[in-house]
Amino acid sequence: PIGVFDSGLGGLSAVAALSSLLPGEDVVYFGDTGRVPYGTRSKAAILQYARQDVAFLKRQGVKLIIAACGTVSSVAGEVGRGCGLPFVGVVEPTAAAAAAATRSGRVGVIGTAATVRSGAYEQAIHALLPAAQVFCRPCGLFVQMVEEGFTSPRDPVVQAVCRRYLQPLVAERLDVLILGCTHFPLLREAIGEVMGPGVQLIDSGRAAAEYAAGLLRQKGLLSGREVGGTSSFFVSDRTPAFCEVADRFLGRPITEVTQVRWE
């Protein structure tokens, strides 16, 4: 199977994209819901958590790992380099998608505080477009909102938080905004309403899934099946909202979720 992990539910956006792109592939997903969010933690804690997440997926016999977590991809790159398997983060694929999409060279990035502090997206975008202007904004409450099921664009709480976070970016006249946390696509409609129709939103989970699909083809690691792939879901804490929110990410109900207890 393909292994995917995130600090919580956000990485399910990558699972949904994989199911669409590679319907014959099996996927194992781990969400560290007991320790979400990672974005407020120290680098040392993020590294520890990411190594445990990777070790769990390796025990499931996966052939490739996607760190569908902007925070891990931004600050814990050495985890991927040392895991012994093909490893895909979200930063480089998403930066490439944004660089290809922008016409003005004015690119926005929203993510967790740790992602924004790392400067990873600026570095990746400037490597492709040295003259680009990159405007970053931490939006940590978005993660908690999604985990709690607050995603409706008609919800006054969602509207107020989106306006509070995004108004400074509206003033920067962007034409592309990176959703630098895989939780954020569930807020896509609300974010889009604040940013306006002239701003293209880049989904980091989908960008990572597309890159992983290409890498699997290149390495000859695809299952060879056109249909019939299965998905298995593991979490470190089964919260009451998990299945409800997960269903929104995937567009289908999840029938079985297994809780993993860390030693």
Side-chain angles (χ1 to χ4, degrees):
I2 300 166
V4 182
F5 76 91
D6 183 31
S7 60
L9 296 171
L12 292 171
S13 59
V15 175
L18 286 171
S19 297
S20 172
L21 294 164
L22 301 172
E25 294 295 323
D26 297 335
V27 178
V28 174
Y29 181 78
F30 175 71
D32 194 3
T33 49
R35 299 188 293 200
V36 66
Y38 284 5
T40 58
R41 311 286 184 167
S42 68
K43 182 176 180 179
I46 295 166
L47 280 166
Q48 176 190 345
Y49 297 169
R51 289 189 179 110
Q52 290 175 324
D53 300 342
V54 166
F56 172 77
L57 288 176
K58 289 178 73 173
R59 291 196 295 273
Q60 311 311 306
V62 300
K63 60 189 173 186
L64 175 144
I65 293 176
I66 299 176
C69 176
T71 299
V72 170
S73 301
S74 299
V75 305
E78 57 259 49
V79 173
R81 290 189 291 274
C83 83
L85 290 173
F87 188 93
V88 175
V90 299
V91 173
E92 284 77 15
T94 307
T102 185
R103 296 295 174 262
S104 69
R106 300 177 70 83
V107 178
V109 180
I110 55 176
T112 66
T115 294
V116 170
R117 279 197 309 269
S118 75
Y121 274 106
E122 293 102 312
Q123 294 171 27
I125 292 167
H126 286 142
L128 300 168
L129 292 177
Q133 293 178 276
V134 184
F135 305 88
C136 298
R137 184 94 171 139
C139 300
L141 281 179
F142 282 177
V143 176
Q144 285 93 329
M145 283 165 52
V146 170
E147 292 282 330
E148 294 292 332
F150 288 90
T151 59
S152 170
R154 305 279 71 83
D155 188 313
V157 173
V158 173
Q159 293 174 343
V161 174
C162 285
R163 285 194 300 269
R164 177 70 176 266
Y165 277 142
L166 301 175
Q167 283 296 343
L169 292 176
V170 173
E172 301 295 351
R173 296 176 290 108
L174 314 173
D175 68 346
V176 168
L177 178 65
I178 289 174
L179 307 183
C181 173
T182 50
H183 285 76
F184 294 0
L186 276 194
L187 296 168
R188 185 185 190 99
E189 189 175 347
I191 291 168
E193 287 185 2
V194 176
M195 297 305 301
V199 179
Q200 182 173 343
L201 305 182
I202 306 294
D203 179 339
S204 56
R206 180 156 190 99
E210 289 174 347
Y211 183 86
L215 188 60
L216 288 167
R217 290 191 184 96
Q218 176 189 331
K219 292 183 173 293
L221 293 174
L222 290 173
S223 68
R225 296 176 300 180
E226 295 297 324
V227 294
T230 63
S231 299
S232 303
F233 302 97
F234 298 85
V235 294
S236 56
D237 183 25
R238 183 161 182 168
T239 61
F242 180 88
C243 288
E244 177 187 349
V245 178
D247 291 354
R248 294 182 201 168
F249 269 109
L250 298 173
R252 57 183 170 85
I254 291 179
T255 58
E256 185 175 348
V257 180
T258 302
Q259 184 170 345
V260 176
R261 299 193 182 277
W262 296 123
E263 295 297 331

